[in-house]
Amino acid sequence: MIIYGKQLFLHIIKNYKKSVKTVYLAKECDKALFSQIVGVGAPIKRVDNQKAQALAHGGNHQGFLAEVEEFEFKSIDEIKKQNFIAILYGLSDVGNIGAIVRTAHALGCGGVVIVAKNLAMEGVLRASSGAAYEANIALVEDGLSLLNELKQVGFKIYATASGGKNAHEVKFDQKVALVMGSEGEGLHKKVLAKSDEIVGIKMKNDWDSLNVSAAFAILCDRIINE
């Protein structure tokens, strides 16, 4: 897995150096930073911008790239131990997923479950500014079975949808699973049917929606600081 971008690169070489397999540098850096990179103990390769662009698939690498071990997802059993988790159901934009993971970790949400067959984790790591390494993240394919499983261990399922009950009027349970749907399609009716309560955010100025990561931040803060 190739990661790139100076902020994520520095986060990984500082906190997860054992996961680094190879460092790729496409620019010069000062002696202090280079010494830190050498201290990782991984091979260092100098590459030109063309090679760096290829490794980053055209992304803004800022001259710092690394091949790292594949991301290790947490098990659902570990996620179940938390009292507040987010379930991202049908989201595909790694920017939004990464932003939600970063917010979840920063505000104190105990875990994030992504319902998908696969996930471009490199993009999520970058968008989360490395927070994905600190957060409890699980990946599952069968979201409906997951909801049933969570209910069996005491979670109350709160689905988000326009027209749902204003979150500021909701009394959240002790074990909360907050389900966020995609911006384009929202949540499937089968997911809504399995949920215990439908919640939303009251809008003004005749506006009908927010970016999903912004909506999550509002709801996350509401749940944690109820």
Side-chain angles (χ1 to χ4, degrees), residues 29-146:
C29 53
D30 60 52
K31 289 183 179 180
L33 176 54
F34 187 71
S35 178
Q36 186 179 354
I37 294 170
V38 170
V40 171
I44 301 172
K45 295 184 178 182
R46 297 281 186 178
V47 295
D48 59 23
N49 189 60
Q50 184 177 2
K51 175 65 174 177
Q53 284 292 98
L55 288 169
H57 301 290
N60 183 17
H61 55 77
Q62 300 174 298
F64 298 91
L65 310 92
E67 181 185 3
V68 299
E69 300 285 351
E70 291 298 319
F71 184 84
E72 292 188 11
F73 292 98
K74 296 291 193 298
S75 70
I76 291 299
D77 285 340
E78 290 179 87
I79 298 293
K80 286 179 186 177
K81 296 174 184 176
Q82 307 300 320
N83 289 324
F84 170 31
I85 64 173
I87 301 172
L88 309 187
Y89 209 114
L91 273 70
S92 58
D93 186 302
V94 293
N96 282 331
I97 294 172
I100 289 172
V101 168
R102 184 177 182 177
T103 298
H105 180 65
L107 297 187
C109 176
V112 178
V113 182
I114 301 163
V115 180
K117 290 185 178 180
N118 49 62
L119 184 64
M121 202 59 202
E122 302 96 322
V124 175
L125 284 165
R126 192 166 58 255
S128 74
S129 296
Y133 273 115
E134 331 296 339
N136 295 315
I137 304 176
L139 180 69
V140 301
E141 288 190 36
D142 188 346
L144 295 178
S145 293
L146 169 67

